[in-house]
Amino acid sequence: MIAIISQFLNTPSETFIRDHVRYLAPGMTVLICQKPDGADQFNYPVLSGVPQPPRLARLPGRIAIPVRQFWLAYVREGICKSDEDRVVEFFKAHKVEAALVEYLTMSALFAPACRRAGVRLYAHAHGADSTVMPRKQLWRRRYRRLFASADGIVTPSRFIADRLIEIGCPSEKLHVSPCGVLPERFTPSKRESSRLLFVGRFVEKKSPHLAIEAFARIASRFPDTRLDFVGDGPLMARSKALVDQENLSDRVIFHGSRSTEFVQGMMQNAAIFVQHSVTARNGDMEGLPVSILEAMASALPVVATRHSGIPEAVVDGETGILVNERDIEGMAEALASLLAEPRRAAEMGNAGRQRVLDHFTQRHTRDRLRHAMVLPAMTEPLDFAGSQVQ
């Protein structure tokens, strides 16, 4: 049996975690999480309420969260003793041999429990945990202890792997495994020439407002083109204000957070996928955005930035166009060139879908993770429910 440990299982932006649960070891998985919301969809044994800080339940959230972080960072090396006992008992009851822990911060907290239970620990790094937290001296020290004790460290891109090597992670313990998609869910787009699409959270590192600025610079040249946004977040108000300022309210549509099925439908009709990822002021960066892989699987050319792991998926000039971070004029001209040459855009989109089929499917991810975790190989195809096709 394996355990997958994550703070949340039902957060919309963490599709990759649910994919790990579904596809890595169907029927041989148990779950540990703080909040059980969404855990029942998997029908696996679940230990919830871990980690739980002591006596914080009655505090307001704005106080409880920083106090909890202080407690876990400075007072105790791992989770509290009672939680550790529960985790160890859960491991033993289900004969868990290996654990995949989502995010380095969570991995550092659960490392003592894994050592005590004799469970192999594989820490899966992602974005902010690899780019923001290492700026803090205490977490760098914790990460180095984690690197020494973990059996493996998984990263979504070579870029993130190199960042971890810089702070002391042994290269021999690193495994690069981008998140994958089920290409069958993303059929090639009809490529309506008037539609651009952005999918993601409205946060600084994804910079939706910069995509709007780039669109505004070419809007008059392509009067039939519109820009669709799917997602929500703290930069929504700023983005809407910018749209009003540029008099584009009839051409920029905000759909809010929507279902995976809605995103699939939008990608089936879009012409170009756009995302202007940047390094946030606090150092936060992408790993490798799943939405970009989904767009490529939908045969959409991608216009994005040379940021973190994005160039490892998007081949500049072949499957899309990459510009430097915050190069709004460069992004505007990239969009204009593809809108003006739909045949070239279609060729890039087709090349992108083939690249996903060759390197970035959910089966590729499953096989890479199973190899990293020293689990038996699986050859069965995956179905849409996440189990093996019989």
Side-chain angles (χ1 to χ4, degrees):
M1 296 287 285
I2 73 164
I4 295 181
I5 302 175
S6 176
Q7 188 172 8
F8 307 108
L9 294 171
N10 211 31
T11 304
S13 64
E14 295 183 340
T15 303
F16 53 86
I17 294 177
R18 294 192 294 278
D19 286 345
H20 291 165
V21 175
R22 290 189 179 101
Y23 305 131
L24 183 55
M28 299 180 292
T29 299
V30 299
L31 306 174
I32 298 177
C33 57
Q34 185 179 54
K35 294 188 177 181
D37 298 348
D40 55 354
Q41 66 185 288
F42 305 112
N43 198 30
Y44 291 150
V46 179
L47 176 64
S48 61
V50 182
Q52 197 61 246
R55 294 184 293 276
L56 296 182
R58 297 181 181 180
L59 293 176
R62 67 181 184 278
I63 299 176
I65 292 174
V67 170
R68 175 180 177 273
Q69 292 298 323
F70 179 87
W71 172 269
L72 294 176
Y74 292 94
V75 179
R76 181 174 170 79
E77 175 69 16
I79 54 181
C80 68
K81 182 63 166 58
S82 60
D83 279 348
E84 185 176 302
D85 290 341
R86 292 173 61 204
V87 170
V88 171
E89 290 174 7
F90 187 73
F91 281 156
K92 292 181 177 179
H94 294 283
K95 297 180 172 59
V96 172
E97 297 179 358
L100 179 67
V101 188
E102 306 287 354
Y103 296 98
L104 297 179
T105 47
M106 288 286 285
S107 302
L109 296 177
F110 278 86
C114 290
R115 288 196 300 268
R116 182 176 153 195
V119 170
R120 302 196 312 275
L121 168 62
Y122 298 89
H124 202 308
H126 291 287
D129 59 326
S130 304
T131 56
V132 178
M133 301 308 288
R135 296 168 65 135
K136 303 175 183 180
Q137 185 177 6
L138 180 134
W139 279 105
R140 286 200 301 274
R141 291 199 300 267
R142 291 221 165 161
Y143 280 4
R144 290 183 186 116
R145 289 194 288 270
L146 171 66
F147 298 153
S149 65
D151 293 87
I153 307 293
V154 182
T155 71
S157 67
R158 184 70 248 174
F159 178 91
I160 295 295
D162 290 341
R163 294 291 291 264
L164 297 184
I165 289 174
E166 291 175 1
I167 62 170
C169 184
S171 58
E172 63 271 16
K173 287 192 175 184
L174 281 164
H175 305 272
V176 176
S177 178
C179 294
V181 300
L182 284 172
E184 298 85 354
R185 287 181 173 174
F186 297 90
T187 57
S189 173
K190 303 181 186 71
R191 300 192 182 97
E192 293 186 15
S193 60
S194 61
R195 302 182 72 171
L196 311 179
L197 178 63
F198 170 104
V199 177
R201 291 176 295 143
F202 280 51
V203 294
E204 185 180 358
K205 68 180 176 181
K206 293 183 183 291
S207 295
H209 57 292
L210 298 184
I212 294 170
E213 289 188 33
F215 176 61
R217 297 193 182 190
I218 62 167
S220 61
R221 293 158 57 185
F222 301 92
D224 295 328
T225 301
R226 80 177 198 180
L227 173 58
D228 289 293
F229 281 93
V230 181
D232 204 346
L235 289 180
M236 176 62 81
R238 177 177 179 178
S239 299
K240 288 184 174 180
L242 179 58
V243 167
D244 291 339
Q245 175 185 320
E246 297 288 348
N247 295 316
L248 292 172
S249 57
D250 59 335
R251 299 178 59 187
V252 178
I253 295 86
F254 297 96
H255 298 275
S257 294
R258 302 298 290 265
S259 67
T260 299
E261 291 74 21
F262 182 86
V263 172
Q264 292 167 358
M266 294 297 292
M267 288 187 174
Q268 287 175 6
N269 293 301
I272 300 168
F273 187 85
V274 55
Q275 183 168 321
H276 199 112
S277 297
V278 302
T279 303
R281 285 167 294 181
N282 67 352
D284 192 10
M285 302 178 73
E286 305 271 18
L288 174 52
V290 175
S291 59
I292 284 181
L293 299 177
E294 293 174 344
M296 292 170 65
S298 303
L300 293 177
V302 175
V303 175
T305 49
R306 297 183 182 93
H307 170 87
S308 191
I310 292 175
E312 297 173 38
V314 180
V315 181
D316 188 25
E318 294 182 19
T319 67
I321 300 177
L322 298 178
V323 302
N324 292 333
E325 293 185 26
R326 306 183 193 281
D327 181 2
I328 297 170
E329 185 63 35
M331 175 158 280
E333 289 309 310
L335 292 171
S337 68
L338 294 184
L339 288 169
E341 301 178 69
R343 179 175 295 181
R344 177 178 174 230
E347 291 173 352
M348 286 185 171
N350 291 334
R353 179 171 171 83
Q354 189 59 52
R355 183 162 173 78
V356 167
L357 294 176
D358 291 341
H359 302 287
F360 297 102
T361 69
Q362 191 55 246
R363 182 169 179 174
H364 286 110
T365 299
R366 180 197 68 180
D367 292 347
R368 283 190 294 259
L369 286 176
R370 291 186 69 86
H371 177 75
M373 296 177 67
V374 198
L375 300 175
M378 299 179 72
T379 57
E380 298 86 348
L382 297 165
D383 68 9
F384 288 136
S387 58
Q388 276 65 49
V389 176
Q390 302 299 319

